[in-house]
Structures are given as structure tokens and as C-alpha cells.
Amino acid sequence: MSSLNLDDFTDLIERPDGGVRRDAETRRERLVVPPGALGRLDELGEWLSAAQGAVPVRPVGRPRVVLFAGDHGIASLDVSARPAGSAGDLVRAVLEGGSPVAVLARRLGVPVRVVDLALDCPPNAFPEDVVRHRVRRGSGRIDIEDALTPEEAEAAFRAGMAVADEEADSGTDLVVLGDVSVGGTTAAAVLVAALCGTDASVVTGRGGLAIDDLTWMRKCAAIRDALRRARPVLGDQLQLLATVGGADLAAMTGFLLQCAVRKLPVILDGVVAAACALVGQRIAFRAPDWWLAGHDSGEPGQAKALDRMALEPLLDQGVKVGEGTGALLALPLVQAAAALAAELPEQPEEPEPSAKEPGEPAGEPGESAPEAGEPAPEAGRAAGESAQQE
């Protein structure tokens, strides 16, 4: 019997500090740039301030890209433009610095961490720090069999939690989360369709390397078959991940929830990260308050999941390559929001008008009141002028 109680996350996860956010909003109103003039950057700065529990917000100084990797058995049905079992090639490109996310991370000075959960290759194909959390080689074909055993699903979920703890303990202050997989978007679409109660055709996309119409129809059919297997286990999210997810998706879900426990903000990449976040929301409803949607990848499943979680993408550049690339593009926007919120000067305070002492007569400063019976200066001058005229 599993010792992992997912209900615990509901108690462990708190929302970002609402009082701090109100303080950040109040401070924002005092800045020299009028509220609203910076658009969503104001909202981002206040969200980050609440997540940090600090006013003014601290700069994002130690971000990190974390990519969970795995191969999916469903790819053997030719539902992807990439050959089944080839996610290892994508991982190698990331590690060697030749992938888009590696190029951007190098330019931005952000370290990249790849975590192998279920690559279909020998475990010695990659360094120890990549493979030490591996659960199995590949995953089951989810249209006809479970992706994982219950024990493997729990091991993967716990591996994701462990990675989140490692990042929080090492001082990472914001995570860019993505995946490196082949067949992963198919499994993600099944999760989204199951949790949103929609048909397969509503969530079936074209993938990062766009597929043709015939491949799309095969993918849609595979998702529909997997959906039939997913619906009976909707009440048990860990069993759902075992049935139609995969080790990388189970680990990402555990990672997201534990990041929320540790108050570590996360920027989500594409449909796979969004699907795992949707599972996480079903487990702990406050968890999405710790996540940002980095970009709109164009995948219908991602749009459906983000809409359900009320997360609005920061960018819409049509980036479909995956591997955390689109989410990493949003990182400078978050850093800019933090810098503006922290470094813009406040408006100078207007001096208050000096109050008159009680009993002080009206008149020009320094002018004394006339004695009793003595005419006012103006009256005296008028009387003198009148006498001279006579």
C-alpha cells in the first residue's frame, strides 16, 4: 500500500502572502510611473513580491531551467514527427549546447538541468547527475496498457518532489519548467481531455515538429482510445498518471506541487507542463497560485488547461519547439517586472501648508493688529489724503 497521501498537499500548500501583495500594490501607487502604465509588469511584480513575501520585491538572481525527460510508448503508433525512442537525441543536444533552450540559457546565463525519468536508452548513456532519478526505460503504450505500474508512478512522483527540494535547498529562486520527450504531447492531451471532460479532437495538436493530417488522425485516435482507459481512474490522480501519463509527467506533477510547498515560483512551458499543472490543481487547488504560464505554444490542449487554471500566457510568439524554450523567453519579462517594482523611485511628498496659530489674525505675514481705538493703516492714509485736498 502506498505511503504517499496526495491529500496532504492541500494542507501544506498556502497561497502567496495576500498582505504582502496589498503592501506591494500600495507601494506601486506611490511610484513615479502611474499605475497601469507598465501593463502586466505591474501585476507580475506584485505577484513575485507576494511569492517572496518581500516588499520591495527582490531581484530574480538564481533562476534555473529544469527539464524532465522520457520516451512514451504511444510514439510507436507514429503519432509524432520524431521516431519513437529518440528523446535521448534531444537530451544530448541540450547537454551539448546545440538546442534552442541551451542557446538561450547560455545567452541569459541560466543553468539548465535535465532529469531522465524514462528515456529509452541505456542508463549509462548520460552522466550520473542526469540519470540518477530514472524510474524505468520508456513507458507503456497508453492506448492499450498502463504507462507505469503504481509503484513506478509513486517513485516518479517522489523523484519530482526530491528535485524540487534540491532546487529550493540550493538557492534557486525561480524555475523554468519544461520537458524533453517523444510522444509526451499525446499523453498530455489525454490528461487534459480527461480532466476537462472534452473529446480527443478538441485537445489534439500538431506537436513541436508539426505532423501532417494523416499523423494527426492517428494521434487523435490514440488519444481517444487512451481516454477510455483514463476516465475510470479520474478520482485517483496518481493512478491516472500511472494509467495514461508516464514517469516524466508523474515527476513533473510531483515537482510542481513540492515547489508550491517550498514557495518556489515556476514558469510553465508548453502543453506537457500545463497538463501536469492541471493534475496538480486537482490535487491541491491553491497550487496554481505559484505558477506562471510562460507562453502560448499553439497547442489546443495547453490552451484548455491554462483556461481551466485561469492562467494567462505572458508571451505569444508561436514558439512550438518545446524543451522549455518558450518559458525561458518569458524569464527576462519577469526579471524586468521585479527590477521596475524594486528600483523605480517614489513620488516626492508634497509639503503640507503651514497651519496658523489659534487667535492669529488674518493678514499679511508679519503685520501686527492695530491697538483698540487706533484706525487701521489704510484708514489713516485715506483720512490724511482727504485733509490735504481740503
Side-chain angles (χ1 to χ4, degrees), residues 2 4 117 133-136 148-162 238 247 250-251:
S2 173
L4 181 62
L117 271 299
H133 290 293
R134 173 186 279 224
V135 170
R136 58 176 285 169
L148 309 167
T149 66
E151 294 75 21
E152 289 168 342
E154 180 176 342
F157 194 97
R158 289 186 181 277
M161 293 173 60
L238 196 58

Side-chain angles (χ1 to χ4, degrees), residues 144-184:
I144 59 172
E145 62 181 339
D146 289 350
L148 309 167
T149 66
E151 294 75 21
E152 289 168 342
E154 180 176 342
F157 194 97
R158 289 186 181 277
M161 293 173 60
V163 173
D165 284 332
E166 290 165 8
E167 293 302 324
D169 292 341
S170 69
T172 298
D173 55 9
L174 187 142
V175 172
V176 175
L177 178 65
D179 71 290
V180 185
S181 63
V182 173

